[in-house]
Amino acid sequence: MGTENYNRHDHYHSDTEAAAVGVDRNAFSGPLTVNGPLNKRTGRKSAQFYIPDGAPGSSSSSMRSNGNDDYVEITLDVRDDSVAVHSVKTAGGADVEDPELTLLAKGLEKRSSFGSSVVRNASARIRQVSEELKRLTSFSKRPVGRLDRTKSAAAHALRGLKFISKNDGGAAWAALEKRFDELTADTGGLLPRSLFGECIGMNKDSKEFAGELFDALSRRRNITGDAINKAQLKEFWDQISDQSFDSRLQTFFDMVDKDADGRITEDEVREIISLSASANKLSNIQKQADEYAALIMEELDPDNRGYIMIEHLEMLLLQAPTQSVRGESRNLSQMLSQKLKTTHHGNPIRRWYEDLKYFLQDNWQRCWVIVPWIGIMAGLFTWKYIQYKNRAVYKVLGPCVCIAKGAAETLKLNMALILLPVCRNTITWLRNKTRLGVAVPFDDNLNFHKVIAMAITIGVGLHAISHLTCDFPRLIHATEEQYEPMEQFFGDQAHNYWHFVKEAEGYTGITMVVLMTIAFTLATPWLRRGKLNLPPFLKKLTGFNAFWYSHHLFVIVYVMLIVHGIKLYLTKEWYQKTTWMYLAVPITLYACERLIRAFRSSVKPVKILKVAVYPGNVLALHMSKPQGFKYKSGQYMFVNCAAVSPFEWHPFSITSAPGDDYLSVHIRTLGDWTRQLKTVFSEVCQPPRNGKSGLLRAENQEENPNFPKVLIDGPYGAPAQDYKKYDVVLLVGLGIGATPMISIVKDIVNNMKAKEEEENALEHGGTPKNKSAPTSANNFRTTRAYFYWVTREQGSFDWFKGVMNEVAEMDKNGVIEMHNYCTSVYEEGDARSALITMLQSINHAKNGVDVVSGTRVKSHFAKPNWRNVYKRIALNHSGSRIGVFYCGAPAPTKELKQLALDFSHKTSTKFDFHKENF
């Protein structure tokens, strides 16, 4: 029987090995006895593992009393194709009865198709077993909360102490060296402390944090100055890029331990909390640094010694991730990832067919609207082209007149159609009262409006260019003989362009082109949202107000269009002048819409019940609900405030739920009108009392007659209102884009309340109190909701704090899964947010409140991994149809929509993506 000894040391040359078996500060060794040579195909191997005095959590007195208990022996049977556990005993021969230990040993049995590979790896395998057995045998002797460096915990902790976002070895140092040379060109090769963060790649927001890191690294090396040379920078870099947990832990500890005495006091904890909060733009945590420092000391210093040691930080960091993935789910996730890989078909025909099939599946509603529309325009153009080709004017004007008249006919159609997508009352009625929504993409009404506008632009271009560059020059330069047939249409022959401009056809056409150019230009996203950096005098001509007023120039345009269509040169019979025929119904319908809006807003007065101004420049208005005002969650309404502008109406999502006895909107100040609205309401507000949220508050309009008067008009249909059609919904809101999603969440909560009341009433033989409640409706299908709210500012969570706390309290069955993401905080795993993560875990475990959001919903840091979000929902709801509703900035739209398409094509779970017009 041969024997081999394996010694564990504190330092490893391989980071992989350290992560695999863990690292412990107390070295130990144990003799390995093998029954039979290792090169035999079959043998029995046993190993004894010694736990010395002073091992973490060990009891020295008990070990001295029984020396045989110092060892644990495990015997393995090694065969051709397997390794089996034979027995687990103490050195004294007694069987180990620890069920966790036995389960671990049995779970480590491993099958192999090659006996030789088992023999070759037996020693390494046994050593890994020894680590786990040593941990488990001493587990019962350890103090509560002390965690070992298992593989998962160490890996999690390593991710939690990352000082740099990337580490590319030599390439990273080469880039760093280049930046050092650039930054020290004027300082004699010395890098000052103020430029250290920039040199190692940290952004400007982390300047203070980088300075503290510089101080910690300097203290470790007894560097007293505020500048370092390249050799010292290389030492700094080697430490902060070190992948070992011990190195990262020591670096972080040194940052906190300002006086380098090996102990962290409450003042030092308070300072690093304030520093971390500042780096992550968490003003609320910065204000409560004293409270949170006391909380950490209470947790890590229960004996009130007044300081904590590096071991306490280690214990906190080595807490394993709270969310683990089961083996089955992990396998499914891996299979799903394989399915989602892009497949490249070698056959171009097959690839084209697949692309076309998916395109039609995803866009068939749009296709059946767009294709007939294009077909009708092509038919009208062709009809007019052929008609004028057979007339006498063709001999003089040629194909130019045919093109001009064909384009004019499409313009008549499109000038009529462009009004229909903005007839909001009609569209809302069709969405709510008919089943046309199955085939008609009402969500794309504004997109269709824009597409028609592009078609009008093309039509105007063809019509105007054909006349100005072809028809008019031919008429001016025609001979008397050629012009004679034209005289009945145009009168005396023209000698210049003024002849045509002074006629009704000329000046009406020019006026329309000028006005439409102004309206179209100011409607572009860059000018409407004021994104262009223009001089101040031009900046005033952009923004939403400019867009809104310029769009009302359409009244003049339509008057000119009707006149232009009556005063035609080449058409004299009234029944052939068809412009008014195209426009009659759409203009009448739109005029009725505007009259209904004016009448409805005047007969439905609202009273302001509450006003609150929140961080992030958000104004919340709570209003009385007018009698008969019925709406669905996800819908929006128009708001008018005469104190700001008597003519402007602006749309805002309704944040209250249909079951609430009030109406509410949350308005972010993004433009001139919203900024002025916040100003006029702020003047009647006061700082909140009794711990209420908000920067300024006011309640009850009757007690405050100075409240500005507000009119509302609505409600109007929106994509999010269709959430009840789905059993499972994914709600995504960015910043203030969370408003329609909050209404949906509140509606689901109200439904849960009402269903619970109904069930209780039926159990006791009674009847529900409110049969007309929306929750009693049979069309409510939603059984699961995932809500992701992504915002840049910590103060944004105050907007809907009450709603989130209510959901956390009411949702006992886990119907709504809420995720808050604060993107100002560095991603989980960055050292700059490590202390925030620790503080978050302690406070949430102890008080049930998240330190970032101030709610019961635990916050995440940085941006969500949307692919993982979709993947998890696809795994949880295989074979289901998921409604995805997004409201917010345009940037993530493409990714969210593409992921919905990818998962729908490659998995059994189908995702229907709906985007709110924001």
Side-chain angles (χ1 to χ4, degrees):
M1 181 176 72
T3 303
E4 295 182 27
N5 291 327
Y6 290 89
N7 296 319
R8 285 193 63 191
H9 302 282
D10 284 334
H11 305 287
Y12 286 84
H13 296 290
S14 169
D15 293 329
T16 305
E17 183 181 358
V21 298
V23 180
D24 199 280
R25 294 189 173 278
N26 297 287
F28 72 95
S29 63
L32 171 66
T33 57
V34 183
N35 297 326
L38 283 176
N39 59 357
K40 293 292 184 74
R41 286 185 173 272
T42 305
R44 179 169 296 169
K45 304 171 180 62
S46 64
Q48 293 180 335
F49 306 101
Y50 169 61
I51 307 172
D53 287 344
S58 64
S59 173
S60 58
S61 60
S62 63
M63 293 183 71
R64 282 193 296 269
S65 64
N66 187 356
N68 288 336
D69 289 340
D70 293 351
Y71 287 89
V72 174
E73 181 178 76
I74 175 172
T75 305
L76 305 177
D77 287 331
V78 181
R79 300 184 179 87
D80 287 348
D81 61 348
S82 67
V83 175
V85 176
H86 181 267
S87 64
V88 181
K89 298 180 178 181
T90 64
D95 290 334
V96 176
E97 297 180 357
D98 189 336
E100 186 181 2
L101 181 62
T102 306
L103 181 63
L104 170 70
K106 292 295 182 184
L108 289 172
E109 296 181 0
K110 181 180 179 182
R111 289 257 167 206
S112 173
S113 59
F114 301 99
S116 60
S117 64
V118 174
V119 175
R120 186 165 54 247
N121 295 319
S123 297
R125 188 69 179 168
I126 291 171
R127 182 170 56 182
Q128 185 175 356
V129 173
S130 75
E131 304 297 336
E132 297 296 325
L133 292 175
K134 182 259 179 182
R135 180 181 67 85
L136 288 172
T137 53
S138 61
F139 183 77
S140 60
K141 305 173 187 177
R142 297 184 180 189
V144 177
R146 182 74 171 101
L147 295 174
D148 233 342
R149 293 184 174 188
T150 61
K151 177 180 178 181
S152 60
H156 174 65
L158 276 172
R159 289 195 299 269
L161 276 180
K162 187 167 57 179
F163 289 90
I164 50 175
S165 58
K166 293 183 180 180
N167 179 23
D168 302 322
W173 168 249
L176 184 68
E177 193 174 17
K178 182 179 179 182
R179 282 198 297 271
F180 176 88
D181 294 335
E182 293 173 355
L183 294 172
T184 60
D186 300 327
T187 59
L190 293 177
L191 180 70
R193 178 182 184 272
S194 59
L195 297 177
F196 178 69
E198 182 181 352
C199 186
I200 65 173
M202 286 188 176
N203 57 30
K204 294 181 180 179
D205 295 331
S206 303
K207 187 174 182 178
E208 289 184 33
F209 189 92
E212 293 297 333
L213 178 59
F214 179 93
D215 294 341
L217 296 169
S218 297
R219 283 194 298 270
R220 172 62 56 175
R221 291 160 180 80
N222 296 319
I223 299 174
T224 56
D226 285 340
I228 56 174
N229 56 36
K230 186 180 292 187
Q232 291 168 329
L233 177 65
K234 183 65 166 66
E235 289 184 32
F236 284 16
W237 177 255
D238 290 340
Q239 182 171 341
I240 63 177
S241 61
D242 193 334
Q243 298 298 305
S244 70
F245 174 66
D246 281 308
S247 176
R248 291 186 180 183
L249 177 63
Q250 188 64 59
T251 303
F252 188 74
F253 185 86
D254 290 343
M255 285 186 64
V256 185
D257 184 18
K258 296 294 184 65
D259 53 10
D261 63 352
R263 300 175 179 182
I264 301 176
T265 64
E266 185 170 340
D267 289 338
E268 289 172 328
V269 172
R270 183 187 304 109
E271 189 172 346
I272 197 67
I273 287 176
S274 181
L275 181 67
S276 297
S278 174
N280 292 281
K281 301 178 182 177
L282 299 175
S283 56
N284 291 349
I285 292 180
Q286 202 167 1
K287 294 174 185 176
Q288 297 175 274
D290 292 343
E291 177 186 340
Y292 290 136
L295 179 66
I296 288 181
M297 295 301 293
E298 180 184 346
E299 183 72 17
L300 299 183
D301 181 26
D303 299 330
N304 294 320
R305 291 174 297 180
Y307 60 88
I308 58 178
M309 305 291 289
I310 192 170
E311 290 80 8
H312 299 110
L313 276 183
E314 177 185 0
M315 180 183 70
L316 196 59
L317 285 166
L318 283 174
Q319 293 184 70
T322 55
Q323 292 184 350
S324 59
V325 182
R326 292 174 299 176
E328 181 182 358
S329 296
R330 188 184 296 111
N331 293 336
L332 287 172
S333 180
Q334 291 173 353
M335 293 171 58
L336 189 59
S337 297
Q338 292 295 324
K339 283 185 178 182
L340 290 170
K341 287 183 178 178
T342 305
T343 54
H344 300 282
H345 297 289
N347 189 337
I349 297 177
R350 174 70 182 278
R351 185 168 61 249
W352 179 85
Y353 169 76
E354 291 289 335
D355 292 342
L356 179 62
K357 180 182 72 173
Y358 288 141
F359 177 81
L360 293 177
Q361 285 178 359
D362 301 331
N363 300 281
W364 66 270
Q365 288 180 311
R366 298 183 182 93
C367 287
W368 91 260
V369 172
I370 294 293
V371 171
W373 170 64
I374 294 175
I376 291 171
M377 286 195 298
L380 290 174
F381 186 92
T382 304
W383 168 52
K384 279 296 177 181
Y385 191 98
I386 294 173
Q387 185 183 80
Y388 276 83
K389 188 177 182 180
N390 296 325
R391 294 184 60 172
V393 293
Y394 185 80
K395 296 178 181 178
V396 178
L397 303 180
C400 297
V401 69
C402 301
I403 294 173
K405 291 300 180 180
E409 202 67 21
T410 64
L411 278 170
K412 296 176 189 177
L413 172 69
N414 290 326
M415 289 296 290
L417 291 180
I418 200 169
L419 293 174
L420 299 181
V422 291
C423 290
R424 293 182 174 89
N425 286 299
T426 303
I427 291 176
T428 301
W429 185 86
L430 292 174
R431 292 180 76 125
N432 296 340
K433 304 297 183 181
T434 70
R435 299 185 63 84
L436 283 176
V438 177
V440 178
F442 289 121
D443 293 353
D444 290 324
N445 62 320
L446 291 184
N447 290 331
F448 190 44
H449 179 79
K450 295 172 185 176
V451 170
I452 296 173
M454 292 301 298
I456 288 174
T457 303
I458 295 171
V460 168
L462 288 174
H463 184 75
I465 291 172
S466 296
H467 278 327
L468 294 174
T469 64
C470 187
D471 292 338
F472 292 171
R474 289 193 179 196
L475 289 172
I476 293 172
H477 297 103
T479 62
E480 292 184 5
E481 183 180 354
Q482 290 174 328
Y483 187 80
E484 185 178 352
M486 301 293 100
E487 192 170 353
Q488 58 177 319
F489 302 114
F490 298 99
D492 296 338
Q493 186 174 5
H495 300 287
N496 52 48
Y497 277 93
W498 178 248
H499 176 86
F500 302 104
V501 172
K502 68 181 182 181
E503 299 291 334
E505 280 288 280
Y507 64 75
T508 56
I510 292 172
T511 303
M512 284 190 292
V513 170
V514 171
L515 295 181
M516 284 195 288
T517 300
I518 295 172
F520 284 22
T521 301
L522 294 177
T524 57
W526 307 282
L527 295 176
R528 179 164 56 91
R529 296 182 180 272
K531 292 182 178 180
L532 291 182
N533 188 15
L534 299 173
F537 71 94
L538 289 178
K539 195 78 171 176
K540 295 179 180 179
L541 302 177
T542 64
F544 187 86
N545 286 349
F547 156 76
W548 194 86
Y549 285 114
S550 65
H551 247 56
H552 283 73
L553 294 174
F554 79 91
V555 176
I556 302 174
V557 170
Y558 276 100
V559 172
M560 293 292 177
L561 180 60
I562 292 172
V563 174
H564 192 83
I566 292 174
K567 299 290 185 178
L568 294 177
Y569 284 119
L570 300 177
T571 304
K572 301 301 181 184
E573 301 295 336
W574 70 269
Y575 54 84
Q576 293 180 340
K577 300 176 181 180
T578 57
T579 303
W580 66 272
M581 300 179 188
Y582 280 96
L583 301 178
V585 173
I587 287 179
T588 302
L589 180 62
Y590 186 80
C592 291
E593 288 256 344
R594 297 304 294 261
L595 290 173
I596 290 172
R597 175 185 294 185
F599 177 75
R600 185 167 55 190
S601 62
S602 63
V603 300
K604 290 186 177 181
V606 294
K607 293 181 180 179
I608 302 297
L609 304 177
K610 185 175 71 173
V611 179
V613 179
Y614 290 107
N617 290 322
V618 169
L619 172 69
L621 297 179
H622 288 239
M623 299 163 276
S624 60
K625 185 191 293 187
Q627 187 175 2
F629 190 95
K630 296 181 180 180
Y631 64 98
K632 296 180 179 180
S633 288
Q635 292 185 332
Y636 67 95
M637 65 183 183
F638 281 84
V639 176
N640 170 272
C641 181
V644 178
S645 172
F647 305 108
E648 293 184 48
W649 292 81
H650 293 260
F652 299 101
S653 297
I654 303 173
T655 53
S656 54
D660 295 336
D661 58 357
Y662 63 90
L663 288 175
S664 67
V665 291
H666 286 68
I667 302 170
R668 187 162 194 174
T669 55
L670 296 174
D672 299 337
W673 188 87
T674 52
R675 195 176 297 111
Q676 293 174 35
L677 183 72
K678 178 194 168 187
T679 300
V680 297
F681 274 104
S682 297
E683 292 173 355
V684 297
C685 291
Q686 296 176 350
R689 293 174 293 179
N690 302 324
K692 293 184 177 181
S693 62
L695 301 175
L696 296 170
R697 292 176 68 92
E699 299 183 19
N700 201 334
Q701 183 177 5
E702 295 179 356
E703 297 179 2
N704 192 339
N706 295 323
F707 268 32
K709 184 180 179 182
V710 170
L711 300 178
I712 63 170
D713 174 51
Y716 292 103
Q721 75 174 61
D722 295 329
Y723 83 95
K724 289 186 179 181
K725 296 178 181 179
Y726 300 93
D727 295 328
V728 182
V729 293
L730 170 59
L731 311 173
V732 181
L734 259 66
I736 197 64
T739 48
M741 313 309 167
I742 287 294
S743 179
I744 293 173
V745 168
K746 291 176 70 175
D747 192 31
I748 295 174
V749 171
N750 289 344
N751 272 276
M752 289 190 292
K753 289 181 182 177
K755 286 183 178 180
E756 188 175 339
E757 290 178 1
E758 288 181 12
E759 291 172 0
N760 292 337
L762 292 173
E763 284 179 5
H764 295 86
T767 56
K769 293 181 181 179
N770 187 9
K771 291 184 178 181
S772 63
T775 39
S776 303
N778 293 326
N779 63 344
F780 190 85
R781 295 173 47 185
T782 306
T783 58
R784 183 73 164 152
Y786 298 87
F787 175 45
Y788 285 79
W789 184 17
V790 185
T791 182
R792 286 183 307 216
E793 302 165 348
Q794 182 187 14
S796 303
F797 295 115
D798 286 346
W799 307 344
F800 308 114
K801 183 184 291 187
V803 177
M804 289 186 284
N805 285 332
E806 185 180 11
V807 171
E809 183 179 350
M810 283 291 304
D811 189 17
K812 297 180 177 63
N813 297 323
V815 174
I816 305 173
E817 185 177 298
M818 302 186 72
H819 298 270
N820 295 333
Y821 280 81
C822 186
T823 58
S824 70
V825 184
Y826 289 95
E827 64 181 344
E828 296 174 20
D830 194 300
R832 286 165 287 188
S833 62
L835 196 69
I836 303 298
T837 304
M838 299 180 209
L839 182 59
Q840 183 187 47
S841 299
I842 293 173
N843 196 67
H844 199 275
K846 187 163 187 171
N847 303 320
V849 177
D850 181 66
V851 295
V852 177
S853 67
T855 69
R856 299 183 184 183
V857 181
K858 199 169 182 180
S859 299
H860 307 275
F861 303 152
K863 297 179 180 179
N865 185 325
W866 293 118
R867 188 176 185 84
N868 287 344
V869 171
Y870 275 86
K871 184 188 294 185
R872 192 164 66 88
I873 295 175
L875 290 171
N876 292 339
H877 304 282
S878 179
S880 302
R881 182 169 290 276
I882 314 296
V884 182
F885 298 92
Y886 170 71
C887 182
T893 305
K894 184 177 180 181
E895 180 186 4
L896 290 169
K897 184 175 182 180
Q898 189 58 50
L899 285 171
L901 297 177
D902 290 344
F903 277 82
S904 296
H905 297 162
K906 303 294 180 64
T907 71
S908 61
T909 308
K910 306 303 177 187
F911 292 85
D912 294 340
F913 181 78
H914 305 267
K915 178 188 176 298
E916 195 82 22
N917 293 305
F918 180 78

